Amino acid sequence: IMFSLAPLVGAGWATAIVIGVALILSVGGLSSATKDKWQTFRLFAMPFCVSSFSSLIKGKGFVLVFPPSLKELAIAVALCLAFAALVFVLRKVHGQQAPQPSIEKTVSDKPENASPLKR
């Protein structure tokens, strides 16, 4: 097995706490943390996962985040493609499309074209 749980205890938790608190403060302070529990969880979990993963693969021959073994890389790519195919099929079955960003603006959105106030 490639991974051990030893790095999870140290650097991962410390990094998650420091960066998580900074992220909480950047998105609205402690009041926002008590309102949205899911956002709070994500803001602490993301730095934990990133720092833990980097600690786990250190010295194991990884190039960036790609495994050194071609077999492991092929399995990872195949799983990503399978997930994308599953999402595609589910959207076709349920008739949902990915949200499209709207770039249209109306004339009234522009301040120079706004009508003056009537007196």
Side-chain angles (χ1 to χ4, degrees):
I1 198 162
M2 184 153 304
F3 301 119
S4 71
L5 296 177
L8 296 178
V9 177
W13 288 110
T15 303
I17 291 170
V18 171
I19 294 177
V21 169
L23 289 171
I24 291 282
L25 294 175
S26 74
V27 297
L30 295 177
S31 63
S32 71
T34 58
K35 291 178 188 172
D36 191 357
K37 302 290 185 198
W38 175 246
Q39 178 182 10
T40 303
F41 170 75
R42 286 185 305 118
L43 293 176
F44 281 96
M46 287 176 13
F48 172 75
C49 293
V50 169
S51 64
S52 296
F53 183 73
S54 64
S55 296
L56 288 170
I57 67 172
K58 186 175 184 179
K60 303 278 195 239
F62 279 65
V63 177
L64 296 178
V65 295
F66 304 109
S69 164
L70 187 58
K71 179 181 176 184
E72 290 176 356
L73 183 61
I75 290 171
V77 169
L79 289 173
C80 289
L81 291 174
F83 177 73
L86 175 67
V87 171
F88 179 77
V89 168
L90 290 175
R91 284 192 175 159
K92 286 290 185 185
V93 169
H94 293 290
Q96 294 177 348
Q97 294 182 355
Q100 300 295 323
S102 175
I103 58 171
E104 295 179 14
K105 283 195 168 193
T106 61
V107 174
S108 63
D109 288 343
K110 297 179 182 176
E112 63 272 4
N113 294 333
S115 61
L117 295 175
K118 295 181 181 178
R119 294 184 187 196

